[in-house]
Amino acid sequence: MSAKKILLVAGDFVEDYEIMVPFQTLLTLGHEVHAVCPDKQAGDFIATAIHDFEGHQTYSEKPGHRFRLNFSFDDVNPTSYDGLVLPGGRAPEYLRLDERVLMIVRHFAETEKPIAAICHGLQILTTAGVVGGRRCQAYPAVKPELDQAGAIWDKPAAGFDNACVDGNLITAAAWLAHPAWMRAFLQVLGD
C-alpha cells in the first residue's frame, strides 16, 4: 500500500486506546498522520481517558496518558487528506459543537473519502448529518442519536470486536474492535 495522509481529530478526554492504537498503527505502516484538536497547536498535549469494561452497568473511566498533537488544527486543509479518523471517549460530545470540525467531516463525506469512527466518535457524524441511510456501529449508548439521525443500526458483536463497513464509512463500537476496524479502514483506503 502506498503511503496515505490521514487526519485524526481528537480532544481532551478522548479514549486513550482509541487515539493511541490507530495513530501508532497507521504510523507503523508508513502513513502520515496529523493528530489535531481545535484551539491547539502542534506540540500541545491533550488528556486521554481509559475506559474499561469491568462488569458495571457502563464502562469505567480512569486517567490516561497525555497525547502530544503533531499538527495544528488551524493549518488543516481537508482536501489534502486521504482519510479521517474519529476516536471516541468524551471528546466527541464537545467536538461536535465546533463548526469547523463539522465542515471537515462533511468534506470527507461529500468526497467519499474513508472515514473511520469508533465508539462515541459517531456523535460527530450524527451532528454533521452524514449518517442518514448508512449502516453504523457505535457504543450502544450512541444508538438513539444514530436512530434520530436516520442511520441503520448494525448491532456490534457481543465482544465489541467487529467493525461495520458501509462504503467509505468504517465504524465500530469500542477499542476491542481495533484489529477489525483498522483492517477495514486500511482496505477502504486502498493503494
Side-chain angles (χ1 to χ4, degrees), residues 53-74:
F53 304 96
E54 301 175 306
H56 305 294
Q57 291 178 325
T58 189
Y59 52 85
S60 63
E61 183 173 87
K62 298 167 186 69
H65 299 89
R66 290 179 359 131
F67 180 89
R68 185 189 304 267
L69 302 166
N70 67 353
F71 201 75
S72 298
F73 184 76
D74 291 342

Side-chain angles (χ1 to χ4, degrees), residues 110 132 137 144:
E110 290 163 4
Q137 282 184 18

Side-chain angles (χ1 to χ4, degrees), residues 4-10 19 23 26-27 31-37 67-73 75-77 80-81 83-85:
K4 304 288 184 182
K5 190 173 177 183
I6 312 297
L7 180 64
L8 189 154
V9 179
I19 190 170
F23 181 75
L26 293 166
L27 288 175
H31 299 294
E32 181 179 357
V33 184
H34 288 172
V36 301
C37 175
F67 180 89
R68 185 189 304 267
L69 302 166
N70 67 353
F71 201 75
S72 298
F73 184 76
D75 294 335
V76 169
N77 175 356
S80 68
Y81 294 94
L84 174 66
V85 175

Side-chain angles (χ1 to χ4, degrees), residues 148-168:
Q148 289 177 346
I152 301 162
W153 179 248
D154 188 89
K155 185 176 180 179
F160 289 163
D161 58 358
N162 66 325
C164 175
V165 178
D166 185 340
N168 68 315

Side-chain angles (χ1 to χ4, degrees), residues 111-168:
T111 57
E112 298 184 5
K113 294 179 185 178
I115 300 171
I118 193 165
C119 195
H120 287 71
L122 280 89
Q123 290 178 313
I124 299 171
L125 300 180
T126 60
T127 304
V130 300
V131 294
R134 307 293 298 274
R135 282 187 319 110
C136 298
Q137 282 184 18
Y139 189 71
V142 182
K143 183 181 183 293
E145 292 177 55
L146 287 165
D147 289 341
Q148 289 177 346
I152 301 162
W153 179 248
D154 188 89
K155 185 176 180 179
F160 289 163
D161 58 358
N162 66 325
C164 175
V165 178
D166 185 340
N168 68 315

